[in-house]
Amino acid sequence: MLLAFSALSTLALADTPARVGRIALAQGPVNISSEVGDEATAALVNWPVTSSSQINTGRDGRTEIRIGSTSVRLDSDSSLEVVELDDDTVRLRLHYGSASIRVRNAEVLRGLEITTPQGQIRMKDVGRIRIDAERVRDTTNVSVFEGVAQVDGGGSSLAVRAGKRVDVHEDDVRTALAVRDGFDEWALQRDQRDGRTTSDRYVTSEMTGYEELDQHGEWREDSDYGPLWTPRRVAADWVPYRDGRWTYLAPWGWTWVDNAPWGYAPSHYGRWVMVRQRWSWAPGRNIGRPVWAPALVGWVGGNNWNLTFNDHGARRAAPAQGWYPLNPGENYVPGYHLRPEHLRHHNRHARPDYRPGRRDGLTVVGLNLFDGRGQIVVPRAPRPVLTPQSTQNAPFGAPPRPQGNWSNRFDRDGDGRPDRNGPGRVITVPPNGAQPVVPYSRRDGRPSDNERFVRTPPQVLTTGEPQRSLAERDRRQREAEIERRERDMANERRMREVEVDSRRVAEGQQRQREAELADRRREAEMERLRGAEGQRQQAIDNERRQRDAEAQLQAQRDANNRQQAERQQRDANLRLQVERVQRDADHERRLQGERQQREHDNERRQQAERQQRDADNARRQQAERQQQDAENARRQQAERQQQAERQARDADNERRQQAERQQRDAERQQREAAAARQAQQARQPQPQPQPQQVQQQQQSQAEQADKRERAREERQDRRHNVQQDIR
């Protein structure tokens, strides 16, 4: 009991970090373990990543880890350990494989560190790098595609700029050009997708999971809650914290893992509100670095809250445990130790007078599911029958802590402060001063020089065994001897391996001592060189002072020479000024005489030009008058000719009209005479005309008709001519 209380006290004293990463993508076989040595499980999207997490990818597997705006991507057959992840530090160790790291925020650079078996890498500027460890035996390759990286290893430290690659060996460093492959192109495509997001207008880019919100929901501003994000393509009865699972993550406690790809940020930051009959996520105003929480929910239930569950058709009463999303006005009460400023950040919108009414979005499962260490898959869990009365009477109560020893990964030594271990594997110290025992750290499964093995004693027969035949006893003894020899041979092989490892360690220590001796010699040589450099610098300073004195004397002489030259220059300028005034006066007199001569010449020329213009104007006017008189005479003569032509046309017209009248009178008289003859003939009996007379009569009628036609045509011609004359 005392030990359990001590463990709980230690767990509560250590501050928990406010930054936790997540698995953003898992393709193919990808495993994750929360602690070094724990059993690895299949990595799910939105699974939390924190200190001591180890991520492994198998063949054809790839994964992406997001820590705020920083992306860490692993290629197939890779192993990455998160040595330390807190508010200010991100320390990673790539045991083997390939990793692509993209940093967008310059504030992350100070605490970012990546180690490999051959060296250490730090990024000096935002950008993108790739690290390959143990792809070639005992070699680390660092390729810089954007930014600058500092690489320490192989006895050297150098800055690598964009477009360069460094190959780090145990005692050598080589440089080359960086070359991309399919893994780099895949990482670049993922980065380009992140560059198109607009969610960073509403939340900070250091909120892990913000990059998934744009393509799965819509943003809008609300007068009460500020920016609101509403998910798209969810069911009408969808409720937050219902489609996912619970897992226990020390030291935070029960942690929610959402099934939706966008579910990480809305589950671990901000609050959920019901607006217009739809759930919307309210992250609050962007006020700096966000603070992570395992789940922002209110807990109800416990052993005193029994409900009826429908388990495979059978009804049973059992204790229940429920949770519901917290409203911005409600206080978040964590079950772990949290810094006061972090707790104030969570409850910055909480109201002291807030009294929760209905628990919207309440989800209830059996309390027994929280007893074990396994995951609680909520959609598969049996659900109880809820009534308004049972929901209203539900007591507040958090779920129990699973049974077992849950150590605080940030306070392994139990001093109440987060540990700051160096790079490498985390080793726990057992009680009673025993030596620490660590799992085999070699990749081939063999023990290293600090990993002990136990010789198994051979089996012997006891006196209590029943008597057997001599042959059976001999056979058993031979088998025991064979087993003993095999164990001895295995132990000898292990001893040889330990000796080899010890020799390697000794050689490494010898190389380290030699390197230290070389460093001391180098430091002594540097000290001697610094002394010589100091003497040389002193001589240089003396020479500089002498040159300064000579320069000062020379400057004084130059100043005197300049003053004398200036006086001579002033005298020369004065003489030049007098000469210039005299020249100006002579020039002015000459110009005045020239102006007077030009004015006299201009006056004579203008007078001659005026006389010439007057004579020209008189001649031109006289010629114009003569030309005008001639034109008037020609015009009058033309008018007289036109008048004579009109008179002639009028006379012709009069004669034609008189002839036409005479012709018409003659024709009328002929018609009247013919009519009179016809009338007279009609009164007298007419003899039968002779055929010859009839023929002559018809011929005369035809001739008369022709004459009339010709007369009509002549009249038309005359009329046409008259019209032509008139025109």
PDB file of all heavy atoms in Angstrom, residues 17 44 57 99 158 307 322 345 629 727:
ATOM      1  N   PRO A  17       4.518  17.272 -20.130  1.00  0.00           N
ATOM      2  CA  PRO A  17       4.710  18.256 -21.204  1.00  0.00           C
ATOM      3  C   PRO A  17       3.392  18.622 -21.862  1.00  0.00           C
ATOM      4  O   PRO A  17       2.404  17.886 -21.796  1.00  0.00           O
ATOM      5  CB  PRO A  17       5.649  17.536 -22.180  1.00  0.00           C
ATOM      6  CG  PRO A  17       5.433  16.090 -21.920  1.00  0.00           C
ATOM      7  CD  PRO A  17       5.112  15.964 -20.467  1.00  0.00           C
ATOM      8  N   LEU A  44      -1.806   3.137 -35.394  1.00  0.00           N
ATOM      9  CA  LEU A  44      -3.048   3.680 -35.927  1.00  0.00           C
ATOM     10  C   LEU A  44      -2.893   5.175 -36.149  1.00  0.00           C
ATOM     11  O   LEU A  44      -2.122   5.850 -35.450  1.00  0.00           O
ATOM     12  CB  LEU A  44      -4.207   3.420 -34.958  1.00  0.00           C
ATOM     13  CG  LEU A  44      -4.502   1.958 -34.612  1.00  0.00           C
ATOM     14  CD1 LEU A  44      -5.593   1.890 -33.565  1.00  0.00           C
ATOM     15  CD2 LEU A  44      -4.904   1.187 -35.859  1.00  0.00           C
ATOM     16  N   THR A  57       9.063   0.463 -39.050  1.00  0.00           N
ATOM     17  CA  THR A  57       8.379   0.164 -40.302  1.00  0.00           C
ATOM     18  C   THR A  57       8.977  -1.099 -40.896  1.00  0.00           C
ATOM     19  O   THR A  57      10.193  -1.312 -40.842  1.00  0.00           O
ATOM     20  CB  THR A  57       8.523   1.322 -41.305  1.00  0.00           C
ATOM     21  OG1 THR A  57       9.913   1.540 -41.571  1.00  0.00           O
ATOM     22  CG2 THR A  57       7.913   2.597 -40.751  1.00  0.00           C
ATOM     23  N   ALA A  99      14.949   8.547 -42.792  1.00  0.00           N
ATOM     24  CA  ALA A  99      14.000   9.506 -42.220  1.00  0.00           C
ATOM     25  C   ALA A  99      14.115  10.821 -42.975  1.00  0.00           C
ATOM     26  O   ALA A  99      15.217  11.288 -43.270  1.00  0.00           O
ATOM     27  CB  ALA A  99      14.261   9.723 -40.730  1.00  0.00           C
ATOM     28  N   LEU A 158      30.776  19.899 -39.247  1.00  0.00           N
ATOM     29  CA  LEU A 158      30.695  20.770 -40.413  1.00  0.00           C
ATOM     30  C   LEU A 158      29.251  21.137 -40.685  1.00  0.00           C
ATOM     31  O   LEU A 158      28.319  20.411 -40.321  1.00  0.00           O
ATOM     32  CB  LEU A 158      31.315  20.106 -41.638  1.00  0.00           C
ATOM     33  CG  LEU A 158      30.626  18.879 -42.244  1.00  0.00           C
ATOM     34  CD1 LEU A 158      31.078  18.682 -43.668  1.00  0.00           C
ATOM     35  CD2 LEU A 158      30.963  17.627 -41.442  1.00  0.00           C
ATOM     36  N   LEU A 307     -26.406   0.573 -14.581  1.00  0.00           N
ATOM     37  CA  LEU A 307     -27.323   0.665 -15.707  1.00  0.00           C
ATOM     38  C   LEU A 307     -27.542  -0.719 -16.288  1.00  0.00           C
ATOM     39  O   LEU A 307     -26.780  -1.658 -16.027  1.00  0.00           O
ATOM     40  CB  LEU A 307     -26.763   1.607 -16.787  1.00  0.00           C
ATOM     41  CG  LEU A 307     -26.583   3.080 -16.399  1.00  0.00           C
ATOM     42  CD1 LEU A 307     -25.950   3.842 -17.548  1.00  0.00           C
ATOM     43  CD2 LEU A 307     -27.906   3.714 -16.005  1.00  0.00           C
ATOM     44  N   GLY A 322     -19.250   6.879 -18.142  1.00  0.00           N
ATOM     45  CA  GLY A 322     -19.615   7.714 -19.284  1.00  0.00           C
ATOM     46  C   GLY A 322     -18.755   8.958 -19.375  1.00  0.00           C
ATOM     47  O   GLY A 322     -18.039   9.331 -18.434  1.00  0.00           O
ATOM     48  N   HIS A 345      -4.479  27.927 -19.338  1.00  0.00           N
ATOM     49  CA  HIS A 345      -4.706  27.939 -20.782  1.00  0.00           C
ATOM     50  C   HIS A 345      -5.924  27.078 -21.142  1.00  0.00           C
ATOM     51  O   HIS A 345      -6.747  27.484 -21.973  1.00  0.00           O
ATOM     52  CB  HIS A 345      -3.463  27.419 -21.503  1.00  0.00           C
ATOM     53  CG  HIS A 345      -3.605  27.378 -22.994  1.00  0.00           C
ATOM     54  ND1 HIS A 345      -3.314  28.447 -23.803  1.00  0.00           N
ATOM     55  CD2 HIS A 345      -4.035  26.392 -23.824  1.00  0.00           C
ATOM     56  CE1 HIS A 345      -3.547  28.128 -25.056  1.00  0.00           C
ATOM     57  NE2 HIS A 345      -3.978  26.880 -25.099  1.00  0.00           N
ATOM     58  N   ASP A 629     -11.816  90.989-114.191  1.00  0.00           N
ATOM     59  CA  ASP A 629     -12.577  91.635-115.270  1.00  0.00           C
ATOM     60  C   ASP A 629     -12.730  90.683-116.447  1.00  0.00           C
ATOM     61  O   ASP A 629     -13.811  90.596-117.060  1.00  0.00           O
ATOM     62  CB  ASP A 629     -11.851  92.911-115.717  1.00  0.00           C
ATOM     63  CG  ASP A 629     -11.848  93.974-114.610  1.00  0.00           C
ATOM     64  OD1 ASP A 629     -12.705  93.858-113.686  1.00  0.00           O
ATOM     65  OD2 ASP A 629     -10.981  94.870-114.628  1.00  0.00           O
ATOM     66  N   ARG A 727     -32.920  70.776-120.016  1.00  0.00           N
ATOM     67  CA  ARG A 727     -31.900  70.319-119.064  1.00  0.00           C
ATOM     68  C   ARG A 727     -30.548  70.911-119.379  1.00  0.00           C
ATOM     69  O   ARG A 727     -29.758  71.214-118.487  1.00  0.00           O
ATOM     70  CB  ARG A 727     -31.822  68.784-119.089  1.00  0.00           C
ATOM     71  CG  ARG A 727     -32.987  68.120-118.331  1.00  0.00           C
ATOM     72  CD  ARG A 727     -32.649  66.674-118.039  1.00  0.00           C
ATOM     73  NE  ARG A 727     -32.561  65.888-119.267  1.00  0.00           N
ATOM     74  CZ  ARG A 727     -33.583  65.258-119.820  1.00  0.00           C
ATOM     75  NH1 ARG A 727     -34.790  65.339-119.284  1.00  0.00           N
ATOM     76  NH2 ARG A 727     -33.432  64.561-120.921  1.00  0.00           N
TER      77      ARG A 727
END
